[in-house]
Amino acid sequence: MLLFFVKSYNIFCLSKNIIFIIIIMSVLSMEGSMNKMRHGLRKEEESRISQRRQNILYLIYDYLNENNYTDTCETLISEAELVSEIQVCDNIDLERIIMEFESYYHMKFNKYPMFCKKNATNIDKKKSKTKVTIPASKQSQSELVKENSIQQEINNEINNINLAMTVKPIFSNQNTVKVSSEEFDIPKEKFMQSKIWKCIEKLYSPNSELRKIAIDISHEIVLENLNVHWDDVVGLDDCKTAIKEAIVYPLKYPIFFAGPFSPWKGILLYGPPGTGKTMLVKAVATECKCTFFNITASSLVSKWRGDSEKYIRVLFDLAYSHSPTIIFIDEIDWIATNVQNNLSEPAKRFRSELLTKLDGLVSTDNLNVLLLAATNSPWNIDSALLRRLEKRIYVSLPNETTRLGIFKLYLSDNLLKNKNVVDFLMSYTKQYSGADIKLLCKQAWMLEVTPMWKNLEKKEIFITDLKYELRNIEILKELLKETVPTVTNTDIYDNWDTNINNK
């Protein structure tokens, strides 16, 4: 029995030793596999580093070659042993890499990176390298011109630094000779397009992303004559006077708006839909004779992070360069609602950048750049943007005189001479906007001319025999019974106007 226990114990000890050896061998094998894996990862990292350094050399060569530094390119090829079979891909270049890094750095730290600085260290003459001066005769004239232009751009950027935002002057100051498109019989649209293109060329380098953005934004500049004058806007005399005081007179008589009495930088047109806000804006674009940007959400908001901020930055760069400028944003409440959860991420970034540009810390004085905004829901605009829209103009529903003036555009003189007809129309259209009255008259006209189609087809009557005016009041009466005005409750606008003006 004792012998049996001794044998069992020996077998147990032997099994334990075997298991221990197996565990040690497994650990050693696992450690060897980990070392092999780490060695492989280290090799891959060294290969990536080597490839990265090689890519840098090819990017530098591509940049030098693109800018015609021929001798430097040959020296780089010989010293770095670059192979002619390898070339930089089409979608990448050194300038784009630096630009993307600037954008990332600015978005993360709210300032731009500084790549170079002046070396102020006193270097011992014995340790300093001898500076080789290239004779002027060996420098080509194009290189000298290029160096002078680069130095001039650097000086301009130093003189125009404004919180990390560089605004380059495009059109010269008082001593510049102004060229008119009329002197050369050039159409105004083509002249403006040429002027815009030259501005973009001076602002941004070729093939840069900001230049492409500038080209896209330049399409939002209203070049054609909208041909809407103050007299074309029926009624709204108080609104027209307020807009002239806020926009036209500061541009026409700047001496009255100097020093502490600077003109308004932001103006808000608000009121019910269809009251004439867009017509007023068209009149401003026609009468002010200045650069007019018509901005929409699709033209500036992008789903890609950082793009919306670039679009705003380029927009204001172009606005400063083409001043005096009016930037018009319709339905501005889509980017600055009081309910922040309703805003998309691109709209939030757009709003943040816009507020920064409108802020007094960043915006440059006396550059005649004005933000003109319009909305049907002013109470949805958050207080941050509302504070920057200093002048607020209430475009209310048309009064009786204005409504009668609109009806005069459509009704025949016989109907307008009838006092009962006029009183009926005025009483039934108290809550109607200008757009509602226009739509009402168009519907009445279609009903009135419908019986004439057959006569026109049979050539029993001719188009020249028709008078384009409404003559049948019964059609208008029937339509007024069926039609409901767009805005049924204007108290919310009146209350908001009262509250905001009492603040």
Side-chain angles (χ1 to χ4, degrees):
M1 191 69 177
L2 181 60
L3 183 61
F4 174 75
F5 282 109
V6 171
K7 287 183 179 181
S8 300
Y9 177 75
N10 291 335
I11 293 171
F12 172 75
C13 292
L14 181 61
S15 302
K16 185 178 179 181
N17 293 333
I18 293 172
I19 294 172
F20 182 72
I21 293 172
I22 292 174
I23 293 174
I24 292 176
M25 292 179 64
S26 301
V27 172
L28 292 175
S29 177
M30 188 179 299
E31 187 175 353
S33 299
M34 291 296 293
N35 289 335
K36 187 176 180 180
M37 186 181 299
R38 281 195 291 266
H39 179 73
L41 293 175
R42 193 181 302 111
K43 285 289 185 182
E44 290 180 3
E45 182 64 23
E46 290 175 356
S47 176
R48 278 197 298 269
I49 292 173
S50 177
Q51 185 65 37
R52 188 184 304 126
R53 291 173 179 172
Q54 194 74 6
N55 291 338
I56 292 173
L57 294 173
Y58 281 104
L59 286 169
I60 294 173
Y61 170 78
D62 181 71
Y63 178 81
L64 295 173
N65 187 40
E66 186 177 345
N67 290 272
N68 298 323
Y69 293 100
T70 309
D71 297 337
T72 310
C73 287
E74 294 178 357
T75 305
L76 181 62
I77 290 174
S78 61
E79 291 186 0
E81 298 179 356
L82 302 183
V83 183
S84 60
E85 286 79 8
I86 300 177
Q87 62 180 4
V88 178
C89 298
D90 295 335
N91 61 344
I92 195 69
D93 56 55
L94 190 61
E95 188 175 3
R96 181 178 299 179
I97 293 173
I98 293 177
M99 184 180 62
E100 290 294 335
F101 176 74
E102 284 180 342
S103 176
Y104 161 78
Y105 193 93
H106 181 266
M107 186 169 54
K108 187 174 182 179
F109 301 105
N110 199 24
K111 64 178 182 179
Y112 287 98
M114 185 170 63
F115 293 99
C116 304
K117 65 178 181 179
K118 188 175 181 180
N119 188 6
T121 309
N122 294 324
I123 305 174
D124 190 2
K125 292 183 180 181
K126 295 182 180 179
K127 295 183 180 180
S128 63
K129 295 183 179 179
T130 305
K131 184 177 181 181
V132 180
T133 304
I134 302 175
S137 59
K138 292 185 179 180
Q139 283 187 318
S140 63
Q141 187 176 358
S142 60
E143 290 177 348
L144 290 174
V145 172
K146 188 171 184 178
E147 289 179 2
N148 292 334
S149 64
I150 292 173
Q151 185 62 37
Q152 184 65 30
E153 288 185 4
I154 293 173
N155 294 336
N156 289 338
E157 290 180 0
I158 292 174
N159 294 330
N160 290 282
I161 288 177
N162 186 8
L163 291 182
M165 184 187 70
T166 303
V167 180
K168 300 179 183 177
I170 299 304
F171 306 111
S172 51
N173 301 326
Q174 300 176 355
N175 298 327
T176 304
V177 178
K178 295 184 179 180
V179 181
S180 175
S181 60
E182 298 176 356
E183 297 179 5
F184 300 97
D185 296 330
I186 302 174
K188 183 180 178 182
E189 292 185 13
K190 292 185 177 179
F191 179 77
M192 282 299 298
Q193 287 174 353
S194 175
K195 189 177 178 182
I196 293 167
W197 181 250
K198 289 180 181 178
C199 168
I200 294 174
E201 282 184 336
K202 291 185 178 181
L203 271 175
Y204 308 107
S205 59
N207 300 323
S208 68
E209 184 183 3
L210 294 181
R211 184 168 184 169
K212 296 176 183 177
I213 293 175
I215 294 173
D216 293 339
I217 293 179
S218 66
H219 296 155
E220 306 300 326
I221 299 177
V222 178
L223 298 178
E224 67 275 9
N225 185 10
L226 298 178
N227 199 26
V228 178
H229 302 276
W230 298 118
D231 295 336
D232 298 329
V233 182
V234 181
L236 301 178
D237 294 332
D238 294 339
C239 295
K240 287 188 282 189
T241 302
I243 290 176
K244 289 178 181 178
E245 293 174 352
I247 302 176
V248 180
Y249 296 150
L251 297 176
K252 197 172 183 179
Y253 310 107
I255 191 172
F256 293 104
F257 300 90
F261 303 103
S262 59
W264 288 293
K265 294 294 184 181
I267 298 174
L268 175 66
L269 301 178
Y270 64 95
T275 52
K277 295 186 289 296
T278 304
M279 284 289 290
L280 288 171
V281 171
K282 289 181 179 179
V284 169
T286 304
E287 297 283 354
C288 287
K289 308 293 183 184
C290 60
T291 309
F292 192 90
F293 286 85
N294 184 21
I295 300 302
T296 59
S298 60
S299 60
L300 291 184
V301 175
S302 173
K303 66 179 180 179
W304 304 110
R305 179 173 293 275
D307 279 4
S308 298
E309 294 89 326
K310 293 177 187 176
Y311 275 88
I312 285 289
R313 196 182 317 150
V314 172
L315 170 63
F316 276 83
D317 284 350
L318 292 177
Y320 292 145
S321 302
H322 290 84
S323 62
T325 303
I326 296 175
I327 301 174
F328 174 61
I329 303 179
D330 199 6
E331 304 297 341
I332 197 169
D333 48 286
W334 62 265
I335 58 160
T337 179
N338 275 323
V339 184
Q340 295 296 325
N341 294 332
N342 292 344
L343 282 178
S344 62
E345 188 62 28
K348 289 180 181 178
R349 297 198 303 269
F350 178 91
R351 169 188 171 277
S352 176
E353 187 69 18
L354 178 63
L355 293 179
T356 303
K357 293 298 181 184
L358 293 176
D359 201 302
L361 293 175
V362 176
S363 60
T364 310
D365 293 334
N366 302 322
L367 280 176
N368 291 331
V369 176
L370 173 81
L371 175 65
L372 179 61
T375 181
N376 298 325
S377 307
W379 47 84
N380 287 336
I381 302 177
D382 66 350
S383 56
L385 179 59
L386 198 61
R387 180 182 66 83
R388 290 162 175 85
L389 297 172
E390 304 163 303
K391 181 65 176 178
R392 298 144 196 160
I393 301 173
Y394 179 31
V395 186
S396 60
L397 290 176
N399 56 23
E400 185 173 319
T401 305
T402 303
R403 296 200 305 276
L404 181 58
I406 298 174
F407 276 115
K408 285 181 179 180
L409 299 175
Y410 300 98
L411 270 62
S412 64
D413 293 336
N414 292 331
L415 290 180
L416 293 171
K417 291 177 182 178
N418 190 329
K419 188 176 182 302
N420 294 329
V421 171
V422 174
D423 292 341
F424 171 80
L425 292 176
M426 294 302 102
S427 62
Y428 267 83
T429 57
K430 286 183 179 179
Q431 295 295 322
Y432 277 62
S433 66
D436 292 334
I437 296 174
K438 180 181 178 181
L439 180 60
L440 175 71
C441 294
K442 287 174 67 176
Q443 289 176 338
W445 171 251
M446 291 303 299
L447 293 174
E448 191 168 323
V449 300
T450 297
M452 300 180 186
W453 299 128
K454 292 181 180 180
N455 296 332
L456 285 171
E457 291 293 326
K458 294 178 180 179
K459 296 185 180 180
E460 295 177 357
I461 60 173
F462 299 94
I463 295 179
T464 55
D465 298 333
L466 297 177
K467 289 187 177 181
Y468 298 96
E469 57 186 14
L470 295 175
R471 301 179 182 180
N472 192 339
I473 187 61
E474 298 301 326
I475 295 177
L476 277 173
K477 288 181 178 180
E478 290 296 325
L479 287 175
L480 283 171
K481 293 178 182 178
E482 300 173 359
T483 307
V484 178
T486 304
V487 180
T488 56
N489 182 18
T490 59
D491 293 341
I492 187 172
Y493 291 97
D494 297 331
N495 294 336
W496 190 86
D497 179 63
T498 303
N499 294 334
I500 203 69
N501 289 328
N502 289 337
K503 287 183 179 180

